[in-house]
Amino acid sequence: MNSFTDLFNTYNWNETKASIYAKTPADVEQALSSSKRTLEDFKALVSPAAAPYLEQMAQISQQLTQKRFGKVLQMYVPLYLSNECNNICTYCGFSYDNKVKRKTLSMMEVMQEVAAIKEMGYEHVLLVTGEDNVNVHVDYFKKVLQLIRPHFAHISMEIQPMDEEDYAQLIPFGLNTILVYQETYHQEDYKKHHPKGKKSNFKYRVETPDRLGKANIHKMGLGVLIGLEDWRTDCFFTALHLNYLEKKYWQSKYSLSFPRLRPYSGGLEPKVEMNDRELVQLICAYRLFNEEVELSISTRESPAFRNNIIKLGITSISAGSKTNPGGYTVAPESLEQFEISDERSPAEISRLITAQGYEAVWKDWDNCLA
């Protein structure tokens, strides 16, 4: 099997969706009682039939998470480097057709943002850009990584998908993790939401984790944008993708995120709504399916939701986030990628974590737990 595409093409979206919705309470109970859960078990755990079992799922999820990760949550923060983008994406404030002022941080401005982030206490930073190969390219990333590497224990990036050799060039400069979200695994709807730009190439996008694995990246993050399509089906394909990657690129580590569609400048209404209870179900289903994967929750979610999710399977959480380039000090009024929901400071979130009997960890897992 050369890439995930080979496996993906053996599945049919409608048939997969039907099989999820056909799961019964007996299927759910079997999944809950299993010591090693399969993809069929995951289908049961995200199915409507699992809704009455949420409390039991949450208890198991909490136990499994504490067994593997202890009672700690890793703190991270995004640093947006640029809102320039060559893609048209229906759900994103950075979309090429959104006529707003564009900005890419200079090296001096990057360091101003780094100073603000360090003052908040962060040792783990997530670098984010729009997808623009002219202004934010490999050489730009090298300069940024080289500049900030002495200041952080862990550097992640969420940037445009690149070729294997490009990733391989960045790793020696301090790159640890790449997040690449498929947005949706529904090919027809994917085309509707990405009508222009390099991102419109579904195959290149879905094979990005393969290129990362071949480049020997330390960790990669997966996920879909919940709201574009049926979340249960999309998240099954995420689990399928994760399962494939762990077997083929076993030396890399993995994380999952589950961002729900948020308002932005010119916004898109979700095609499918997911309520809070369903998001808890999904988080617990992922944990029951995979004890090793890291699960991340961002400031997209409300304070009330984030307060209650800490003990149920999450391993990393952001706080004090700005989703615009220069948002911390340089250009607070520049265009945001999306609106955040939880505006509490990192210190407030740290106190919340402590109050629930957990510890806020500011460095990478490997460094802290070794």
Side-chain angles (χ1 to χ4, degrees), residues 117-181:
I117 288 171
K118 292 293 292 183
E119 192 172 337
M120 289 189 278
Y122 281 108
E123 294 288 341
H124 181 176
V125 66
L126 168 63
L127 304 178
V128 187
T129 70
E131 299 193 9
D132 177 76
N133 293 317
V134 175
N135 297 292
V136 281
H137 42 63
V138 173
D139 288 340
Y140 176 80
F141 296 140
K142 284 181 181 178
K143 290 177 183 177
V144 172
L145 288 169
Q146 191 169 26
L147 188 65
I148 74 171
R149 185 178 186 179
H151 302 280
F152 294 102
H154 185 113
I155 302 174
S156 303
M157 297 184 80
E158 185 180 340
I159 56 177
Q160 68 265 28
M162 299 189 296
D163 294 338
E164 177 188 341
E165 53 268 30
D166 294 328
Y167 291 126
Q169 286 184 60
L170 296 181
I171 292 171
F173 284 82
L175 174 62
N176 182 284
T177 302
I178 286 281
L179 310 183
V180 55
Y181 302 134

Side-chain angles (χ1 to χ4, degrees), residues 240-259:
L240 177 72
H241 206 165
L242 173 66
N243 204 45
Y244 158 86
L245 291 166
E246 283 193 327
K247 290 177 180 177
K248 187 165 185 178
Y249 308 106
W250 55 270
Q251 291 175 308
S252 293
K253 297 186 176 183
Y254 298 89
S255 68
L256 294 176
S257 298
F258 6 81

